[in-house]
């Protein structure tokens, strides 16, 4: 990837005229997590590079944040399997907000840690807004991204989520069986999506505390704040059912249908 990219935080100076003073003061950084190995999909075909609607999955995600005027900077987190292809994609498409393509880690948690370390070394201010997004959620909408950024006006953390239409069961393992321990009130149950949004100082502090617990294996970033900064309110930003995560190959027909609807609508 050509190395004459604007350094992190430069984007805020170039924010679109509509960007408010707060965003001009503090960058709004999208961290696109693309360092997974897709073991539930096809280890031989990295799902972040698979084509949907004629475009690589990760290109949909980067396009979405490039297109949003509130986003000033983009950081892409990759693994060695996809690095070359992602760097080529960034060079081919230009992607002026992409500041760097960095290495992820073994777990999703470690990839966020690497992103936080890079942001810290770049001198990103404590009040910067971070949106951590799964690269394999290609159809994130502009209104959802904008609402995520705006949610940090009143909260230090938030996550996109949708109300559960299934009843959720809390279980435990017991003598080889899985038994239900509780059935929470469905009206309170939400399914987390991404982006998950945080003020930089908040997420950095939560990860500092969580990193002391080697047995902690969260599946998202929100839980790190909920578990380690219990007095920090975390708000829900309404998501939508098109903001799917491509996890297995069975998700591809649904993804193609959503992509087709988006492409027809954008003509
Ligand atoms: N060490 C990791 C693991 C996951 N991710 C990213 O986090 C998002 C959601 O993860 P998931 O769908 O679980 O991707 P994989 O971990 O690749 O899938 P699997 O669990 O099937 O291996 C993906 O964009 C993935 O690239 C990451 O950046 N670093
Ligand atoms: C972050 C997430 O998308 C919220 O639902 C989900 O936890 C990611 O899980 P994965 O196993 O890393 O795909």
């Amino acid at each position: 990837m050509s190395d004459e990219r604007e350094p992190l935080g430069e984007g805020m100076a170039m924010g679109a005229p509509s960007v408010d003073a707060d965003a001009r003061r503090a960058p709004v950084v999208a961290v696109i997590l693309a360092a997974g190995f897709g073991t539930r999909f096809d280890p031989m075909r990295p799902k972040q590079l698979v084509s949907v609607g004629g475009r690589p999955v990760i290109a949909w995600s980067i396009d979405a944040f490039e297109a949003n005027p509130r986003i000033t900077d983009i950081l892409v987190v990759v693994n060695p399997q996809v690095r070359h292809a992602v760097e080529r994609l960034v060079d081919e498409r230009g992607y002026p907000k992409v500041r760097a393509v960095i290495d992820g880690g073994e777990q999703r948690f470690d990839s966020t840690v690497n992103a936080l370390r890079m942001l810290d070394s770049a001198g990103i201010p404590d009040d910067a807004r971070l949106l951590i997004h799964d690269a394999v959620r290609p159809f994130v909408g502009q209104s959802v991204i904008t609402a995520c950024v705006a949610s940090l006006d009143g909260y230090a953390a938030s996550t996109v989520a949708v109300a559960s239409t299934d009843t959720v069961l809390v279980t435990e393992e017991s003598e080889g069986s899985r038994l239900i321990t509780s059935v929470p009130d469905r009206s309170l149950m939400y399914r987390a999506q991404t982006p998950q949004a945080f003020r930089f100082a908040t997420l950095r502090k939560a990860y500092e505390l969580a990193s002391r617990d080697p047995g902690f294996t969260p599946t998202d970033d929100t839980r790190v704040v909920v578990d380690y900064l219990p007095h920090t309110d975390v708000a829900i930003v309404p998501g939508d059912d098109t903001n799917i995560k491509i996890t297995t190959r069975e998700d591809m027909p649904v993804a193609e249908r959503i992509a087709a609807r988006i492409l027809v609508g954008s003509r």
Side-chain angles (χ1 to χ4, degrees):
M1 183 175 85
S2 51
D3 54 8
E4 63 270 4
R5 291 202 158 261
E6 294 289 346
L8 260 165
E10 284 300 298
M12 59 189 177
M14 302 183 293
S18 61
V19 165
D20 63 21
D22 177 54
R24 273 194 290 280
R25 251 195 333 274
V28 182
V29 185
V31 177
I32 297 181
L33 296 177
F37 288 92
T39 54
R40 291 169 288 177
F41 188 87
D42 178 348
M44 302 312 290
R45 289 176 67 212
K47 61 183 179 178
Q48 53 270 59
L49 300 176
V50 163
S51 178
V52 63
R55 201 186 309 176
V57 164
I58 190 171
W60 285 85
S61 290
I62 299 175
D63 285 347
F65 290 93
E66 280 280 351
N68 191 280
R70 295 301 308 271
I71 303 297
T72 60
D73 303 82
I74 298 173
L75 187 56
V76 184
V77 187
V78 296
N79 63 38
Q81 188 184 32
V82 302
R83 170 174 281 279
H84 180 64
V86 170
E87 289 183 335
R88 189 171 63 241
L89 179 80
V90 170
D91 281 345
E92 287 168 356
R93 290 169 174 258
Y95 286 148
K97 294 181 185 177
V98 172
R99 305 292 176 229
V101 177
I102 68 167
D103 289 335
E106 186 180 345
Q107 301 297 325
R108 191 181 187 282
F109 177 94
D110 305 307
S111 293
T112 298
V113 165
N114 286 0
L116 292 172
R117 283 186 183 140
M118 193 274 180
L119 293 170
D120 201 47
S121 64
I124 290 294
D126 284 356
D127 63 342
R129 299 174 196 228
L130 307 187
L131 273 63
I132 316 286
H133 185 64
D134 296 335
V136 295
R137 287 186 186 271
F139 308 124
V140 57
Q142 290 300 309
S143 59
V144 167
I145 294 172
T146 300
C148 247
V149 176
S151 70
L152 298 182
D153 289 339
Y155 293 94
S158 67
T159 184
V160 175
V162 291
S164 179
T165 54
D166 294 322
T167 296
V168 175
L169 306 177
V170 181
T171 68
E172 68 178 5
E173 190 72 31
S174 171
E175 297 173 1
S177 297
R178 183 155 288 278
L179 304 181
I180 296 171
T181 58
S182 70
V183 184
D185 180 340
R186 189 176 74 182
S187 67
L188 303 177
M189 295 298 110
Y190 278 71
R191 290 185 291 112
Q193 298 181 337
T194 67
Q196 302 189 345
F198 312 87
R199 290 288 181 171
F200 180 41
T202 298
L203 195 61
R204 182 178 56 198
K205 178 64 181 172
Y207 267 83
E208 277 170 10
L209 295 171
S211 296
R212 298 171 193 168
D213 175 359
F216 182 57
T217 54
T219 52
D220 76 345
D221 299 291
T222 298
R223 182 181 173 188
V224 183
V225 175
V226 170
D227 283 13
Y228 287 89
L229 299 178
H231 302 299
T232 298
D233 290 337
V234 183
I236 293 280
V237 175
D240 60 47
D241 288 334
T242 58
N243 187 22
I244 65 167
K245 176 163 68 75
I246 295 176
T247 306
T248 69
R249 277 177 286 184
E250 284 67 35
D251 295 317
M252 287 310 290
V254 174
E256 288 291 359
R257 283 196 295 275
I258 295 170
R261 281 208 304 272
I262 292 170
L263 293 172
V264 165
S266 63
R267 281 184 190 146

